[in-house]
């Protein structure tokens, strides 16, 4: 897997964890409306978005008459704690926070048929609320309101006033709704974007630098090769020279016969070629077209070492057998310029054959 892919996967993982963490912190407010009649039959309606739905509460609308626990205002206990039952008109339990878990309070009201449960906060907390968790008491609308508002409703109910309450779903709130969180997300986004851009710029610059260095090395090598090739022996063919006397002598590059007046280059291996043919050849291929001798290496121009050469298996060696009056000789056809000391030997082991070859070149 490439580094880019790994970085992208890591970024996606971080973003997914961030989304999961943010979703866990989302909460919904509840719109609470109460209405009751005064002694003069005047109806009072109060409305506020001051409740918070529990984490395990369904986000639904519900309504009913506010009912208090018959004993402990905190609504704890397994016995019936309300003077209501499932056949009563819709009612909403109003209990105080404390003594037992939220789940126990909610289940106590749910068993007796409450349409919803409202928990008001402890004394001295004003109108503050929390996002209560009640994983063991799902399936019933449950919200929390502030202590001041809850105490006011309790006072009305204890005075014999029928208070009707309507609970509606409010609006979602979460980390992204907060100004500081928005700043954090914006800064994080710009940091990630800037880091990604910087990374790609670095990779691109590194590649361009590598290409530039490679081209510079090639230009330097070619310049040295041109200077080295300029040191090769050059001569002009004349009428009567061995190369012009017979059509069997041809340039191995262009396959044309030599003619008087043409300029030829003599390589370090003594092979002759047209100057205009062999110079471009050596710049591209380095070796003699006939014997594969590395001419530029023989002239002192070393090619850059390639990685992994040590891991390659040695090249195969072709062997020919030369017979004559003397015992048979095996002649390896190897590169005369090979650095292998075992192969650094005369081109022919048979001196007589070598002499014939030299005579043929002349």
């Amino acid at each position: 897997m490439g580094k880019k892919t790994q970085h992208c996967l890591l970024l996606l993982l971080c973003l997914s964890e961030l989304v999961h963490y943010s979703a866990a912190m989302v909460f919904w407010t509840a719109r609470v409306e109460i209405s009751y009649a005064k002694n003069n039959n005047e109806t009072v309606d109060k409305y506020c978005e001051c409740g918070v739905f529990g984490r395990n509460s369904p986000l639904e609308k519900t309504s009913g008459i506010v009912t208090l626990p018959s004993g402990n205002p905190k609504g704890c206990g397994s016995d019936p704690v309300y003077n209501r039952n499932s056949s009563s008109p819709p009612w909403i339990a109003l209990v105080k926070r404390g003594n037992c878990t939220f789940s126990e309070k909610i289940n106590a009201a749910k068993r007796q048929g409450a349409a919803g449960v409202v928990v008001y906060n402890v004394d001295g907390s004003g109108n503050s609320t929390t996002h209560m968790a009640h994983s063991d008491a799902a399936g019933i609308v449950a919200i929390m309101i502030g202590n001041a508002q809850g105490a006011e409703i309790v006072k009305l109910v204890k005075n014999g006033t029928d208070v009707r309450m309507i609970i509606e779903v409010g609006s979602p709130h979460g980390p992204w709704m907060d100004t500081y969180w928005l700043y954090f997300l914006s800064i994080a986004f710009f940091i990630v974007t800037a880091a990604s851009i910087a990374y790609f710029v670095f990779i691109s610059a590194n590649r361009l630098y590598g290409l530039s260095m490679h081209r510079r090395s090639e230009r330097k090598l070619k310049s040295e090769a041109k200077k080295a090739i300029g040191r090769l022996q050059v001569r002009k063919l004349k009428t009567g020279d061995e190369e012009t006397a017979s059509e069997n002598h041809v340039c191995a590059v262009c396959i044309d016969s030599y003619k008087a007046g043409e300029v030829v280059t003599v390589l370090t291996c003594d092979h002759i070629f047209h100057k205009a043919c062999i110079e471009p050849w050596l710049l591209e291929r380095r070796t003699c077209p006939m014997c594969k001798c590395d001419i530029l290496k023989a002239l002192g121009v070393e090619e850059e070492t390639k990685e992994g050469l040590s891991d390659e298996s040695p090249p195969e060696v072709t062997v020919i057998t030369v017979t004559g009056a003397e015992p048979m000789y095996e002649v390896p056809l190897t590169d005369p310029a090979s650095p292998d000391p075992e192969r650094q030997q005369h081109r022919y082991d048979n001196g007589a054959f070598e002499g014939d070859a030299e005579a043929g070149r002349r």
Side-chain angles (χ1 to χ4, degrees):
M1 185 180 293
K3 290 184 177 179
K4 292 183 180 179
T5 306
Q6 292 177 349
H7 291 164
C8 290
L9 289 177
L10 181 60
L11 179 59
L12 289 175
L13 180 60
C14 293
L15 290 177
S16 64
E17 288 296 327
L18 182 62
V19 170
H20 177 74
Y21 172 75
S22 301
M25 297 181 65
V26 177
F27 65 92
W28 287 76
T29 58
R31 291 192 286 266
V32 180
E33 180 181 353
I34 60 172
S35 60
Y36 59 92
K38 288 185 176 182
N39 294 332
N40 57 2
N41 293 327
E42 179 185 352
T43 302
V44 178
D45 293 316
K46 292 185 178 181
Y47 170 87
C48 67
E49 190 169 344
C50 49
V52 176
F53 276 90
R55 294 184 183 179
N56 307 99
S57 171
L59 299 175
E60 298 174 356
K61 176 181 177 180
T62 189
S63 61
I65 302 299
V66 177
T67 303
L68 304 178
S70 56
N72 188 340
K74 295 179 181 177
C76 300
S78 57
D79 298 330
V81 292
Y82 298 92
N83 294 324
R84 298 276 184 170
N85 53 52
S86 58
S87 62
S88 301
W91 57 281
I92 293 177
L94 178 63
V95 295
K96 189 174 183 179
R97 182 179 183 178
N99 279 12
C100 59
T101 64
F102 294 121
S103 295
E104 291 174 345
K105 297 176 186 292
I106 295 170
N107 280 329
K110 183 180 178 182
R111 282 193 297 266
Q112 290 187 246
V117 180
V118 178
V119 180
Y120 62 97
N121 216 342
V122 296
D123 296 336
S125 59
N127 279 322
S128 65
T129 58
T130 61
H131 192 196
M132 60 182 183
H134 48 94
S135 58
D136 295 331
I140 182 172
V141 174
I143 69 169
M144 176 177 281
I145 61 176
N147 176 266
Q149 186 185 17
E152 179 185 353
I153 300 173
V154 168
K155 184 177 179 180
L156 290 172
V157 175
K158 285 184 176 181
N159 289 336
T161 304
D162 287 336
V163 180
R164 179 175 177 79
M165 179 181 290
I166 299 175
I167 301 173
E168 294 180 329
V169 180
S171 53
H173 294 265
W176 59 82
M177 302 294 181
D178 185 81
T179 304
Y180 293 104
W181 186 254
L182 286 176
Y183 288 154
F184 172 77
L185 286 180
S186 300
I187 293 172
F189 172 77
F190 285 118
I191 289 176
V192 172
T193 303
S196 301
I197 293 174
Y199 174 76
F200 287 116
V201 168
F202 172 77
I203 293 298
S204 301
N206 191 42
R207 289 183 177 178
L208 290 175
Y209 177 76
L211 289 174
S212 176
M213 292 299 295
H214 180 68
R215 293 193 186 100
R216 187 179 303 175
S217 176
E218 284 187 342
R219 286 196 298 267
K220 182 180 178 181
L221 184 64
K222 186 165 287 189
S223 176
E224 293 178 357
K226 287 181 179 178
K227 293 178 182 178
I229 293 171
R231 300 200 304 268
L232 291 171
Q233 179 186 352
V234 177
R235 65 187 179 90
K236 189 174 183 180
L237 297 178
K238 301 176 182 178
T239 303
D241 286 346
E242 181 181 354
E243 290 80 10
T244 60
S246 172
E247 292 185 355
N248 293 329
H249 294 280
V250 296
C251 174
V253 179
C254 64
I255 318 299
D256 282 344
S257 301
Y258 296 111
K259 300 178 179 60
E262 292 181 336
V263 179
V264 296
T265 298
V266 183
L267 303 186
T268 58
C269 57
D270 294 335
H271 290 133
I272 297 176
F273 306 92
H274 289 127
K275 184 175 185 296
C277 296
I278 195 60
E279 289 186 354
W281 175 282
L282 292 177
L283 288 176
E284 295 296 329
R285 298 174 177 82
R286 301 179 58 95
T287 59
C288 171
M290 296 182 66
C291 66
K292 303 302 180 182
C293 175
D294 193 331
I295 304 302
L296 295 184
K297 187 173 182 179
L299 293 172
V301 180
E302 296 290 341
E303 189 175 14
E304 293 183 357
T305 304
K306 302 293 189 300
E307 295 182 0
L309 285 178
S310 59
D311 298 333
E312 295 179 358
S313 57
E316 296 181 358
V317 178
T318 304
V319 177
I320 63 173
T321 303
V322 180
T323 59
E326 299 294 330
M328 215 166 22
Y329 293 90
E330 288 187 349
V331 182
L333 297 182
T334 60
D335 185 355
S338 172
D340 190 346
E342 295 182 359
R343 302 161 87 182
Q344 196 63 275
Q345 49 187 306
H346 294 293
R347 196 169 305 154
Y348 302 100
D349 292 332
N350 189 332
F353 189 83
E354 183 177 5
D356 293 342
E358 293 292 337
R361 282 198 298 274
R362 289 194 299 270

